[in-house]
Amino acid sequence: MTDSKYFTTTKKGEIFELKAELNSDKKEKKKEAVKKVIASMTVGKDVSALFPDVVNCMQTDNLELKKLVYLYLMNYAKSQPDMAIMAVNTFVKDCEDPNPLIRALAVRTMGCIRVDKITEYLCEPLRKCLKDEDPYVRKTAAVCVAKLHDINAQLVEDQGFLDTLKDLISDSNPMVVANAVAALSEIAESHPSSNLLDLNPQSINKLLTALNECTEWGQIFILDCLANYTPKDDREAQSICERVTPRLSHANSAVVLSAVKVLMKFMEMLSKDLDYYGTLLKKLAPPLVTLLSAEPELQYVALRNINLIVQKRPEVLKHEMKVFFVKYNDPIYVKLEKLDIMIRLASQANIAQVLAELKEYATEVDVDFVRKAVRAIGRCAIKVEQSAERCVSTLLDLIQTKVNYVVQEAIVVIKDIFRKYPNKYESVIATLCENLDSLDEPEARAAMIWIVGEYAERIDNADELLESFLEGFHDESTQVQLQLLTAIVKLFLKKPTETQELVQQVLSLATQDSDNPDLRDRGYIYWRLLSTDPVAAKEVVLAEKPLISEETDLIEPTLLDELICYIGTLASVYHKPPSAFVEGGRGVVHKSLPPRTASSESTESPETAPAGAPPGEQLDTVPTQGDLLGDLLNLDLGPPVSGPPLATSAVQMGAVDLLGGGLDSLIGAPSFVAPPAAAVPANLGAPMGSGLSDLFDLTSGVGTLSGSYVAPKAVWLPAMKAKGLEISGTFTRQAGSISMDLQLTNKALQVMTDFAIQFNRNSFGLAPAAPLQVHAPLSPTQTVEISLPLSTAGSVMKTEPLNSLQVAVKNNIDVFYFSTLYPLHILFVEDGKMDRQVFLATWKDIPNENEAQFQIRDCPLNAEAVSSRLQSSSIFTVARRNVEGQDMLYQSLKLTNGIWVLAELRIQPGNPSFTLSLKCRAPEVSQHVYQAYETILKN
Amino acid sequence: MIGGLFIYNHKGEVLISRVYRDDIGRNAVDAFRVNVIHARQQVRSPVTNIARTSFFHVKRSNNWLAAVTKQNVNAAMVFEFLYKMCDVMAAYFGKISEENIKNNFVLIYELLDEILDFGYPQNSETGALKTFITQQGIKSQHQTKEEQSQITSQVTGQIGWQREGIKYRRNELFLDVLESVNLLMSPQGQVLSAHVSGRVVMKSYLSGMPECKFGMNDKIVIEKQGKGTADETSKSGKQSIAIDDCTFHQCVRLSKFDSECSISFIPPDEEFELMRYRTTKDIILPFRVIPLVREVGRTKLEVKVVIKSNFKPSLLAQKIEVRIPTPLNTSGVQVICMKGKAKYKASENAIVWKIKRMAGMKESQISAEIELLPTNDKKKWARPPISMNFEVPLAPSGLKVRYLKVFEPKLNYSDHDVIKWARYIGRSGIYETRC
């Protein structure tokens, strides 16, 4: 018997012929005709015109013929609803048939006919069938409720079918239970709020019992339903897990994956200290590996899921790297997924093996796969630092093959390696430059341009290289254009003299000839930056780059948690939440992992810790000094409304100045006299008026307690000049000892160790009294504060200016030099108070040409305040006189090297300008003593 | 759930189309044809999403089977179902060819109606289906009431795979331990990865509903059941093997395996796959391949491959085939081999060396000179691995069947009366050596 002939009838007038045959008296002929109709239907021909004739054949005791007619009905009933009614009688009759197979067939088919009038008639038979004595009929009726719900949800509720369905969960037949669970789960999805499934420990127990007995498909329905349940505590979770684990040995991969889903979800509630937790983790690995010997399509589904599992719980498969090695004959989709997982599992322990494999893959045929393999090598380098060197050399080998796409991919990843390990592998740049011409993909071109721009100072012909790209500027993709613009600006900042023309060219191309708003904006920003403040431009364009992360394309944690709840389903294959690919409200309920229960909270899940951290971190990064000032201002100022904004803006202005000062020194401006922080109060003072003076009093009062005036820390060594090490600091004098307060910040990407410090010989013999002690290695972005005690016992050499100090700092990377100026008042010793008589004698003794006179302007203090403030910095008032309404203060101070300085300070009440006369045997210090006066009095 | 199921021939013509859900329209049939079957590019994934409709496909002898859905279905289940459907069809009419599908389309529709209801897979055990879906028309009218209820209880029942009331004059069973050994070896002879995936296939001709118990030399099973002395366990431990993981036919009571490590079941009639397992430790590698490739200038390659058999000399390996890949620009090949026949197959870009039989602990060798056409192709030849096929009468994992006990309390035959056979066959899976 061959039925294929039905597919071949294509002649005209066929419908008429069929009509005649359908109405034939002979049973055989009728059956043949119906078969032909179904065949035509299959290939997509419209045979709806035969509807009445086919329906006429329905009344038959031949089950095969009946099934064919039903098939036809399901397809066309919707287009001919009136005529479909003709079939109702037969259905109703069949639902009463003594043969359970026929009863089930009738109720199954009726549910598939989406015609309102038919569904009305369906209710009664369905009600009977749900209580049928035969399990086969009941399991079919259970699914039928879901069908009816899809057509008319209200009807199902009104007729009370949902309750009957719920009762079936307790049915004695496991398949009826499974189908009822499936139907209820589906209905529940469209009513997310209703508690339709009503899962409780009792019903869960029933499901778990049915799980052992029903077919593989039924097990899947039940497991998928179990996964939606949230156990009330960890004990219940554990007992469910114990009863689900045997499923991991099922031959059906879907059963295994659904069981894995339940376990992964409930594990979340178990304490990690529990023995059972560890056992469970161990039990998960073998079945997952076994999935990889299934058919390729299932392997693909399994691999996509393993990808999620590895991200969620890396410990599960960490020892199973080898099973993910790619086989030569694997389908490409399996290969790509395996590769992805290999990189995720790569660690120091297995990196050698992984690299050997990756190198092998990089010579394969499939372009996508090869690209991914090359990219994987780069990712290994970034992930496992120890392997970076080998990865780079492997990549270089691959570049030598000159295979176009391999070279391009390699260059893209090398760029990332450069960013991760700056100043380490730049020796390969020359090799990269050789391949410049073969790059035709935007990503590779952009990467290469980035490299050229970033290392412009090391590439002799960087300008020529970039210029060559510039020729076809408008044909490049946006990515390349943006990169080229930045690279040329970088080049200009590094080699301004010879590249002026180039930078003008690119700026005009970007701003005047381009339609791309991003490009134009970036172009204008650079242009303005360069024309107004090249120093700022340098700071912006050549700024430190943030760290690149080790793990690329990780799934965002909340999405990952949601996807874990969808293990085995399409969502886990697409790595997207169902809402991204399912239409309407169906199945779009947002799922999330259960929280840990109270009993296990003591173990402190790692997820919660970082959540609290960020605010703390932010507090750390705010400059405390500024904050303090802001707060104080807030308290002091009368109208609080206008206060804060003014204050903050002033502080910010100060901050800008600070930056500028730092840059000046960077550019090489030889002297950098006033500590830049002094600018802050100056700026503040102007708009605030006299209200501030109290404030400053307050701060100086604090100063008296703790020692002489301390200037805020200023940046001495910017990170740019020191391969990522930034040093800022200040000098203090407290209880007779001088110290240098340093703040070291690591802005590089590698750890810094082995710090040491040394001073050049200086005027006052300042030298470190102890070695520089940085206790732990300084990891990237970390900052340490160190107070380095100084002595004045070092060797002396007069410096110019007198108070300059040249410092060398060494770490594991290099030795860096910088110079700074120290305020002289740190050298004022505490026993600098001269006896009155001696003072008079000395004053007269010192020749008049040694006297120097200075004006201290804008100092609103009175004689009392001046005296006490100076005393806290070891400038002592020996005597005080009032002459013609003026206060005359006679003061003395002694430097660490024994030089005495005598001073006469004239203060006129109401006049903020003081006159200071200094007499000293070494007149060159006078200038600096005057500056010390200024600093002390004005802060 | 599954919204529809289509079968296409290699040209993309529809052979079978069955829609289960209202959200799947006729246009889905065309969407898959246009975007997947007729796609210019090679298929990059077995799951395709076209306009929010997902298509799962598998291919069987050039025919495409596609399941369609608009929901977030259980993807693993859909593929398992598609494979199962292929099994069922194969059990009914043999090979899944276009002709067979066309010849049996009525039967296929009938099956699809039964095994998938509203997109939910139902009982798909061939044994059960064959009792009421037959190729020779329908016997429903002739069935007695008992027969009918027997069918329905089997289809929905706890033991859906076995019929009641089967009687054999001779109670007999066959156990086949079929293993495929997989290897990836480096040119230096270092094992990069090796594993055995094995199956225990049972053919049972047993009367009634016999309770069976299967025993093998698995370490865990032996340790768990080895209530004997430590001495005894160490003795048996020598021969026991470590199974990484195993899965069982649905007739096996999994909860019992989990708690007692015993494999007990009521077998379906005739052939079925009792278990699948995987081992990675102490694998016997029946053959070792030693490649030697030398590039002589730019236009010549010299290849020498030695194979060594590594098992008892009394055993014979069969159907040995070594496949040595050759570069795409090969112009001519000269081969000399000590044993068997070797041929260069230009269409497959390989030298295929076949040996009918080879005893254990022997060695054989082939050498070939490959002439190459000069090319300006910059890309180097990828050097695919040398692969090997063979069949040996042993289980490379070392697995041994210790016992299979049969209990049938209702009928009057005992374990001793059952005739039992066991056989071991080891085949090559993906057995590759890089060169």
Side-chain angles (χ1 to χ4, degrees), chain A residues 663-672:
Chain A
L663 276 169
D664 278 341
S665 77
L666 185 161
I667 303 304
S671 69
F672 144 59

Side-chain angles (χ1 to χ4, degrees), chain A residues 581-601:
Chain A
F581 59 91
V582 173
E583 263 168 18
R586 232 179 176 173
V588 196
V589 197
H590 182 82
K591 294 193 188 181
S592 58
L593 289 174
R596 275 176 206 281
T597 46
S599 62
S600 59
E601 230 157 37

Side-chain angles (χ1 to χ4, degrees), chain A residues 217-277:
Chain A
W217 314 116
Q219 297 188 14
I220 300 168
F221 306 153
I222 292 177
L223 287 168
D224 284 352
C225 173
L226 273 178
N228 290 329
Y229 175 64
T230 309
K232 62 178 191 306
D233 56 22
D234 52 345
R235 289 197 15 224
E236 195 190 358
Q238 179 174 346
S239 85
I240 295 175
C241 286
E242 277 164 3
R243 293 180 69 179
V244 166
T245 31
R247 299 299 120 198
L248 294 176
S249 309
H250 203 286
N252 188 311
S253 312
V255 176
V256 176
L257 268 179
S258 291
V260 169
K261 165 165 57 191
V262 175
L263 296 176
M264 282 291 285
K265 213 177 153 184
F266 290 7
M267 257 171 113
E268 203 61 19
M269 298 181 67
L270 300 178
S271 153
K272 285 189 174 155
D273 314 329
L274 221 59
D275 284 348
Y276 182 70
Y277 182 86

Side-chain angles (χ1 to χ4, degrees), chain A residues 733 736 738 792 824-833 871 873-876 892-900:
Chain A
R733 183 181 180 95
I738 309 167
T792 47
L824 216 61
H825 68 258
I826 60 163
L827 301 170
F828 300 171
V829 295
E830 281 71 10
D831 59 347
K833 184 158 184 174
Q871 181 152 357
S873 288
S874 300
I875 302 175
F876 302 93
S892 73
L893 60 94
K894 193 170 92 175
L895 297 177
T896 46
N897 55 0
I899 294 176
W900 286 92

Side-chain angles (χ1 to χ4, degrees), chain A residues 42 136 186 253 290 568 574, chain B residues 21 54 75 80 109 114 120 245:
Chain A
T42 298
Y136 183 76
E186 178 167 347
S253 312
T290 298
Y574 294 146
Chain B
R21 298 256 172 167
S54 299
E80 281 285 2
Y109 277 124
E114 188 59 46
Y120 290 108
D245 187 36

Side-chain angles (χ1 to χ4, degrees), chain A residues 4 42 67 114 134 136 147 179 186 217 224 249 253 286 290 297 333 363-364 368 568 570-571 574 582, chain B residues 15 21 44 52 54 72-73 75 80 83 103 109-110 114 117 120 122 124 152 245 247-248 278 379 382:
Chain A
S4 55
T42 298
K67 283 182 178 172
R114 305 175 67 92
D134 195 293
Y136 183 76
K147 293 179 187 170
N179 276 4
E186 178 167 347
W217 314 116
D224 284 352
S249 309
S253 312
T290 298
E297 291 88 0
Y333 50 80
T363 59
E364 280 219 30
D368 282 352
L570 265 179
Y574 294 146
V582 173
Chain B
L15 305 179
R21 298 256 172 167
R44 305 301 280 195
R52 296 200 153 217
S54 299
N72 181 29
V73 297
E80 281 285 2
Y83 303 143
N103 280 337
Y109 277 124
E110 206 177 322
E114 188 59 46
D117 190 4
Y120 290 108
Q122 305 293 306
S124 46
T152 56
D245 187 36
T247 59
F248 297 100
R278 183 169 49 82
K379 192 173 184 287

